[in-house]
Amino acid sequence: MLEGVDYCKELRQSPSQMEICVAIFANVLKLDEQGEPVNEKHAERRAAAWLYRYCTGELPPGEPDIEPWECQLY
């Protein structure tokens, strides 16, 4: 999804955006009773979708909008 997107440059200029990216991953991630992740790839995709939108101004085609709860900082 991020192929061809220079997100490292963008994050160097605004490191607080990395905090939001990590928050999305953590908020979306679900763990089972043993503490093992059950949807790691989905959480990774949502964080990548946000990063894509931050760098390009639009979401990847077919990706649903980021929900407010996904990027909530605690």
Side-chain angles (χ1 to χ4, degrees):
M1 174 185 310
L2 294 172
E3 189 173 323
V5 177
D6 191 6
Y7 61 89
C8 288
K9 177 184 173 192
E10 296 290 334
L11 292 176
R12 267 187 244 119
Q13 294 176 5
S14 186
S16 64
Q17 302 309 316
M18 180 56 87
E19 181 181 25
I20 295 172
C21 198
V22 171
I24 291 171
F25 180 82
N27 290 340
V28 173
L29 187 67
K30 293 181 183 176
L31 306 175
D32 66 14
E33 296 80 30
Q34 290 78 37
E36 296 296 320
V38 296
N39 69 338
E40 182 177 2
K41 288 297 180 185
H42 177 68
E44 183 180 301
R45 181 172 182 84
R46 295 303 288 160
W50 179 87
L51 192 53
Y52 183 96
R53 183 177 73 183
Y54 177 74
C55 293
T56 67
E58 57 189 41
L59 284 166
E63 194 70 31
D65 201 9
I66 304 296
E67 298 289 332
W69 66 266
E70 290 180 290
C71 52
Q72 183 70 39
L73 296 173
Y74 294 96

